[in-house]
Amino acid sequence: MESSAVLKSKCSEFTLAAVSELSSPPVSSSSTPVIARFSADRGVAELQFFQDSNVIHGFHVNLATSQLFKLGPVQSLCISESSDSNKEKLYSRGVTIQFRNEEESREFHSAFEQWQNEDVTQGTDLPNGTTSAVRSKFDNKIEPSSAKMYFHYYGQLLHQQNMLQDYVRTGTYYAAVIENRIDFTGRVVVDVGAGSGILSLFAAQAGAKHVYAVEASEMAEYARKLIAGNPTLGQRITVIKGKVEEVELPEKADILISEPMGTLLVNERMLESYIIARERFLVPHGKMFPSIGRIHMAPFSDEYLFVEIANKALFWQQPNYYGVDLTPLYGSAFQGYFSQPVVDAFDPRLLVSPPMSHVIDFNEVKEEDLYEIDIPLKFVASVGARVHGLACWFDVLFNGSSVQRWLTTAPGAPTTHWYQIRCVLSQPIYVMAGQEITGQLHMVAHNAQSYTIYLTLSAKMWGPGAEQGVVLQTSSCKLDLKEPYYRMSQPQPYTMAQDQQPHQLLQVQDIPVHTVDLEEAELLQQQPLENSGAQLQ
């Protein structure tokens, strides 16, 4: 992060052709130049306009509550937020800015964005452990109602207990810290999103010189109470209530420790806060616990699950529900149920192929890289089956100097509170053993602290035309990671053959199969097996 002093030294002043409020005469630079000046006053980034070294009154802009729009090559409009008598925020003031040329217009827009997004509290004299009034990166990208619910949820002891009682999670963190005392002894540690403070206490047990436990929810008060109740360790722990994007610390950290993982690794978008903490607080070449995350993916076949989801929509097939025909909503309900990722534990024998992985290096990744994640998919089917979607799980690495430990949420491994997640297609695709399955998993972050998932899976079809390698069987779906179906059952033995007819309640869906022409080289040449109905092993 750049300090406000550095920001002031570059791109801070611009000479304009004219400036005016909407519906007001312009202040022209024909006689005396109009100067636009960016500055940071007490942690608040602002834009002011001057003429003859005097401030032009009524043109003061708080960058934290403003937006800049380009009206033309040399003209822009700056809209500022103000309050009415009921204190409801409204975008009600507008300043029109006229530039002398296009190049200066581009430079001004770049400077506006930089000053608006940079942490202008860096280098200012805010007391340690306090936060500034400027809108942080978190506030700028997250919907306030989502943040309120998020911090309320994690501010409750019952949810902290749920995580603490995940002994795979808690035990792996404890082992990773204690087995790597060499990394913690005499070091400064920052616990990002400390929750109950358990990881801070682990770090103190491992000999940390001092631990700063940063927690934004009301759980910070419980953490203080827990830490005070362990005075031998607590004397080396300071709890700071606030977001890592906003708080100030008195010193840099040698180690960051955090549990920033959500469902599918990235849900809740706390990984971005972990990366921001790295940029703000970690010394060069400092350690991160964990340091690497991997998303694992494989196509799966699960007739039971597919029928279960499809049958949920049968309610809407009633033509006479208290005299009302519900069938017009059946199609929407059917697609709605398939837009929910399924969170549960499943038998790994349901996987149709070996998994592939997408690696995120927390030491190197940029916060912006997590806004949109694009993963090309390519698998080779191990068995003949009806593919119902994509199964996903994750693991993270604690790369200690003495011991490396992995925390995994894989199917077949001891179940964690994350379980696994499956994206189910409303239109399954059919594959044979040895057949190539391709596709794309595209995840786009949204302001409700989660992701919209776009999944496409494709396979070369068997039958007429397949020998030319020009026909593709494709199925796609759109899911909201924020709204999963929490099935969360323990894995059960699956004995149904993959070519068995589905449950009789399931209505056959007349959904067209989309075809795409591809070059011969883009499709794997197949040799059909004699037993095309092989069961999963």
Side-chain angles (χ1 to χ4, degrees):
M1 293 289 182
E2 297 182 86
S3 69
S4 58
V6 174
L7 284 172
K8 288 178 183 177
S9 68
K10 61 179 183 179
C11 301
S12 60
E13 288 192 0
F14 293 85
T15 301
L16 307 177
V19 62
S20 65
E21 276 200 286
L22 290 177
S23 305
S24 298
V27 178
S28 175
S29 63
S30 57
S31 56
T32 306
V34 174
I35 304 296
R37 181 178 299 160
F38 294 97
S39 62
D41 182 19
R42 296 181 182 179
V44 178
E46 57 187 13
L47 172 64
Q48 292 179 295
F49 299 91
F50 296 81
Q51 191 170 40
D52 291 326
S53 301
N54 297 317
V55 175
I56 303 176
H57 296 290
F59 288 78
H60 178 272
V61 174
N62 183 340
L63 297 184
T65 59
S66 302
Q67 295 186 56
L68 185 65
F69 302 94
K70 187 178 282 290
L71 300 180
V74 294
Q75 188 177 40
S76 296
L77 175 64
C78 182
I79 303 294
S80 300
E81 193 176 84
S82 63
S83 302
D84 65 9
S85 57
N86 295 321
K87 297 184 179 180
E88 295 180 354
K89 292 182 177 179
L90 300 170
Y91 286 103
S92 58
R93 293 184 62 249
V95 177
T96 303
I97 304 171
Q98 192 79 24
F99 301 98
R100 297 182 299 181
N101 53 60
E102 290 187 44
E103 182 179 356
E104 290 183 357
S105 173
R106 287 192 297 269
E107 290 176 353
F108 183 90
H109 274 259
S110 177
F112 187 97
E113 182 178 357
Q114 182 183 22
W115 278 85
Q116 191 175 53
N117 293 332
E118 285 291 346
D119 184 359
V120 296
T121 66
Q122 291 286 320
T124 61
D125 296 326
L126 288 173
N128 294 321
T130 62
T131 61
S132 76
V134 69
R135 283 172 61 91
S136 67
K137 280 189 173 183
F138 183 93
D139 297 326
N140 285 329
K141 68 187 179 184
I142 300 301
E143 177 67 32
S145 60
S146 174
K148 182 178 180 179
M149 292 178 62
Y150 174 78
F151 291 124
H152 173 72
Y153 179 91
Y154 284 108
Q156 301 179 63
L157 278 174
L158 65 97
H159 297 304
Q160 295 293 327
Q161 180 178 336
N162 177 51
M163 292 184 288
L164 291 173
Q165 288 182 317
D166 180 346
Y167 297 111
V168 176
R169 164 199 179 268
T170 308
T172 302
Y173 267 90
Y174 179 78
V177 173
I178 299 303
E179 292 173 347
N180 290 287
R181 290 178 180 271
I182 189 174
D183 293 321
F184 288 84
T185 301
R187 305 294 173 85
V188 175
V189 179
V190 171
D191 183 356
V192 181
S196 65
I198 191 69
L199 300 185
S200 297
L201 289 162
F202 290 171
Q205 287 183 47
K209 174 185 174 183
H210 202 86
V211 183
Y212 296 96
V214 182
E215 172 56 42
S217 78
E218 295 304 317
M219 186 53 55
E221 299 305 320
Y222 291 108
R224 288 192 178 106
K225 189 173 182 178
L226 179 63
I227 289 166
N230 293 266
T232 304
L233 302 172
Q235 62 185 350
R236 289 179 283 125
I237 302 174
T238 300
V239 177
I240 298 173
K241 188 176 187 298
K243 304 183 186 77
V244 295
E245 293 87 351
E246 300 171 0
V247 302
E248 295 300 313
L249 300 181
E251 55 187 328
K252 291 288 188 178
D254 302 298
I255 299 179
L256 293 185
I257 189 168
S258 182
E259 194 262 74
M261 301 88 71
T263 309
L264 195 56
L265 184 61
V266 296
N267 187 40
E268 296 179 340
R269 298 184 65 180
M270 189 181 166
L271 273 180
E272 295 165 37
S273 296
Y274 190 37
I275 302 309
I276 290 172
R278 180 197 72 194
E279 293 296 303
R280 297 194 65 204
F281 304 133
L282 190 62
V283 300
H285 310 297
K287 279 192 170 291
M288 300 179 74
F289 273 54
S291 58
I292 286 176
R294 300 186 302 186
I295 300 174
H296 302 273
M297 301 145 285
F300 73 92
S301 182
D302 190 343
E303 201 72 44
Y304 286 145
L305 176 62
F306 179 79
V307 171
E308 177 185 330
I309 295 174
N311 280 345
K312 286 175 177 287
L314 292 182
F315 170 84
W316 298 96
Q317 281 199 328
Q318 299 180 76
N320 187 11
Y321 180 76
Y322 294 98
V324 177
D325 183 2
L326 300 182
T327 58
L329 295 180
Y330 170 73
S332 298
F334 183 84
Q335 293 301 327
Y337 283 117
F338 279 95
S339 71
Q340 292 183 284
V342 177
V343 176
D344 70 348
F346 63 85
D347 191 322
R349 290 175 294 180
L350 295 175
L351 300 179
V352 173
S353 79
M356 60 168 288
S357 303
H358 176 75
V359 178
I360 301 176
D361 186 343
F362 304 147
N363 293 291
E364 302 293 337
V365 69
K366 298 178 181 178
E367 176 205 355
E368 293 78 11
D369 295 338
L370 299 173
Y371 292 173
E372 194 166 346
I373 302 171
D374 193 28
I375 307 174
L377 304 174
K378 186 175 182 180
F379 310 96
V380 176
S382 302
V383 294
R386 198 155 83 127
V387 174
H388 293 103
L390 189 72
C392 305
W393 60 95
F394 70 86
D395 54 26
V396 293
L397 172 66
F398 300 92
N399 190 20
S401 298
S402 300
V403 178
Q404 289 188 337
R405 277 201 172 264
W406 287 93
L407 169 57
T408 182
T409 64
T415 303
T416 70
H417 77 283
W418 289 285
Y419 295 87
Q420 294 96 41
I421 191 165
R422 288 186 282 176
C423 303
V424 186
L425 298 168
S426 61
Q427 177 191 347
I429 62 175
Y430 297 82
V431 298
M432 301 297 296
Q435 189 171 3
E436 186 176 83
I437 303 169
T438 60
Q440 183 181 51
L441 181 66
H442 186 60
M443 298 186 288
V444 181
H446 58 64
N447 63 4
Q449 291 173 276
S450 193
Y451 285 78
T452 301
I453 300 174
Y454 301 89
L455 170 65
T456 300
L457 288 179
S458 304
K460 182 180 175 181
M461 295 179 64
W462 297 96
E467 63 276 7
Q468 284 79 37
V470 296
V471 180
L472 198 68
Q473 184 186 180
T474 298
S475 184
S476 300
C477 61
K478 176 184 176 182
L479 308 100
D480 187 354
L481 189 57
K482 180 80 170 182
E483 302 292 342
Y485 165 32
Y486 286 107
R487 195 170 181 235
M488 297 191 300
S489 60
Q490 292 298 316
Q492 302 294 326
Y494 284 74
T495 58
M496 181 187 293
Q498 295 304 313
D499 56 357
Q500 183 175 337
Q501 289 298 316
H503 195 284
Q504 294 303 310
L505 283 177
L506 179 63
Q507 302 296 315
V508 177
Q509 302 300 312
D510 295 325
I511 304 175
V513 176
H514 300 287
T515 60
V516 180
D517 293 337
L518 293 181
E519 296 295 332
E520 180 82 19
E522 296 182 71
L523 293 170
L524 182 67
Q525 296 300 312
Q526 313 292 338
Q527 292 297 326
L529 300 182
E530 292 182 1
N531 182 10
S532 62
Q535 296 187 30
L536 295 178
Q537 299 300 316

